[in-house]
Amino acid sequence: MISRWIVGIAFFLHASPTYRHLKKFAFNLLENPNYPYKKFFDYTMMLLIAISVYILIRHVKHEVNQDWLFFNNYVISFIFLIEYLLRFWVYSDNSKVIIEQYEHDLFLQRPFKLWNVLHNIFMTKMSFVFSLPAIIDLLAIMPFFHEMRLLRVFILFRVFKLFRYAKSLQQFVSILSSKKFEILTLGVFASVIIIVSSVLIYVMEANNPDSPINTLFEAVYWSVVTIFTVGYGDFVPVTTEGRTVGMAIIVAGIAVISFATSIVVSAFTEKLDEIKEDKMIDDVSKFNQFYLICGYGPLSSQVAHRFLKDGKQVVILENDHKKVAEAQKDGLVALTCDPASLHSYHALRIDFNTQVIAAILLEESDVLNVYTALTIRELSKKVQMLSILLHQENRRKLSLAGINEIVYTQELIGLMSKEVSGRPVAFEVIHALRSENSGVFIKEIVLDSIMAEQFFETSKLSMFHKRLIMLGIYKQSSQSFFFNPSNTLIIEAGDVAIVVGTRSLIDEFKALVRRKKRL
């Protein structure tokens, strides 16, 4: 009978929209860092902690208004108590556990094992109760019993609650927790040193009437302040044996401090990239609107910088760490994640309907662009998507994936052919770009004063005369483009040369045009 009631209550709660809404709201407010109202809750709790500690300090030597004492002892403590109970409530879903066990037993056609369920629920809740943050929360409530003056000291535990609300403190703790083994080893080493030195100094000094170290506690105190290189000077050994122990422990203390410093530094170094990534994700989630570029390469770089030049924000998603580092080095906001994965967008907290102006798919494969498009369409039906098409036979696949605009590189070449047809150098450029030789590139070379002076002379060399095509010069002073320029054109620093050729030939040309100046 009891089992039937419990199962019935579990199903009722699980199906109740009001109950589910309240529990989800409480969970978001307490535990979900992405919930927009959580920061207001955290700020409020931090303010209460600050008020509580201030009253404690003020009360040491001054009278405090009874209203403030009532606010501190009852109101703040009651708020913390409610918070503790809410965290206890949202820590696990009991109704879900009961229903799952009931359906499992029903499927196996065996009696419902109520006690097993209750045991699992009890153990789960106890794991919360005995967790360090929950213990701190509980101790912070102790001042609620203000009649016991000793418990007022527990107000200081409210300061530790700041770890729950300050993200930077949480990151600091997580960084140190990654070095638990090293810190434990250091702690054991320091403890052994303290115990041994305490016993030694006690044995050496305790029977000397001139020595200030007369008890074992004073010996431990002296060892601690000495090994951590504090040395107040209130307790000093007076015997030769005691001073010998002091010299040894000072050397050991330097080793302890050095070891501790290296642990902290190495932990921060290892987590530095992760911290930067988290910071960048937070920054991206705060962007109002931006263009999302999936995949990073030369084309993505040009597109991103063009948007930035127009004052638009751009976010680049790339799966390759090296390319992400290259993009960040170019001053772009780039994140290491798979653009074709739903998990990536959930982790980044991107709202496609309000934040993303358009998604531009520039992966090096049509298949990757199709997968990315399907993923983004799963998240938003409205966001505009543009993709590059590398192979004509994949056009229909990209179209079916929901891409609004498809750009085929060969079509662009056709448009350019129409624009420049009839000009002397056009056919050579078009032939080079349309050929199957994928090593042919169009490159912009920004000319400085050295390169401008030697540009035409270098281009006449036999190495480049027939193999490197000079498409044109863009004059910065007149903001005009000179197609197939003649030798009489005056080139100035800041002008941009457009050349077509293999990458190695272009690099050789750039190197040689600078080298000739030094001759």
Side-chain angles (χ1 to χ4, degrees), residues 203-254:
V203 171
M204 303 295 178
E205 298 284 324
N207 291 326
N208 191 321
D210 297 329
S211 176
I213 303 174
N214 297 312
T215 65
L216 185 58
F217 176 78
E218 291 172 347
V220 173
Y221 169 77
W222 173 86
S223 297
V224 171
V225 298
T226 303
I227 197 171
F228 291 107
T229 66
V230 177
Y232 293 118
D234 49 350
F235 290 91
V236 293
V238 295
T239 64
T240 303
E241 295 81 0
R243 288 171 178 169
T244 304
V245 173
M247 288 188 288
I249 196 173
I250 288 173
V251 174
I254 294 174

Side-chain angles (χ1 to χ4, degrees), residues 40-174:
F40 300 110
F41 172 78
D42 291 347
Y43 293 154
T44 303
M45 301 303 285
M46 293 167 73
L47 178 62
L48 293 178
I49 292 170
I51 293 173
S52 187
V53 174
Y54 171 76
I55 292 175
L56 173 66
I57 297 172
R58 177 79 180 173
H59 202 195
V60 174
K61 289 192 174 182
H62 301 83
E63 287 296 325
V64 178
N65 186 288
Q66 289 299 317
D67 294 337
W68 280 106
L69 288 177
F70 178 83
F71 180 75
N72 181 47
N73 294 333
Y74 290 99
V75 178
I76 295 180
S77 299
F78 183 72
I79 292 173
F80 288 162
L81 175 62
I82 296 298
E83 182 204 10
Y84 179 82
L85 294 177
L86 287 176
R87 290 188 186 279
F88 182 82
W89 178 42
V90 302
Y91 185 72
S92 60
D93 191 342
N94 296 339
S95 61
K96 184 179 179 181
V97 174
I98 294 172
I99 292 172
E100 287 180 349
Q101 182 65 44
Y102 173 75
E103 293 179 343
H104 179 73
D105 291 341
L106 190 65
F107 179 77
L108 297 178
Q109 296 184 345
R110 65 187 185 189
F112 175 55
K113 297 180 178 178
L114 176 61
W115 293 112
N116 288 349
V117 174
L118 296 179
H119 178 264
N120 292 336
I121 292 174
F122 176 78
M123 295 304 295
T124 304
K125 292 298 185 184
M126 286 302 102
S127 66
F128 166 80
V129 171
F130 290 106
S131 64
L132 182 59
I135 292 174
I136 292 175
D137 288 344
L138 187 62
L139 293 176
I141 300 170
M142 288 294 118
F144 187 75
F145 308 98
H146 68 288
E147 297 300 335
M148 301 176 66
R149 296 184 61 85
L150 180 62
L151 295 182
R152 292 183 182 181
V153 178
F154 284 91
I155 289 178
L156 290 176
F157 279 89
R158 295 179 179 179
V159 178
F160 291 108
K161 284 170 67 64
L162 291 174
F163 283 93
R164 278 194 180 278
Y165 312 119
K167 188 173 182 180
S168 56
L169 292 178
Q170 293 175 2
Q171 286 181 332
F172 181 75
V173 173
S174 69

Side-chain angles (χ1 to χ4, degrees), residues 280 284 287 293 295-309 312-317 323-335:
M280 197 170 292
V284 169
F287 283 174
I293 297 179
Y296 187 73
L299 180 58
S300 306
S301 176
Q302 292 187 16
V303 172
H305 282 98
R306 178 57 59 90
F307 281 132
L308 292 178
K309 188 177 180 181
K312 307 294 184 183
Q313 287 182 317
V314 179
V315 175
I316 296 174
L317 303 184
K323 291 183 178 180
V324 170
E326 183 181 345
Q328 292 174 347
K329 189 178 179 181
D330 291 341
L332 301 172
V333 177
L335 297 166

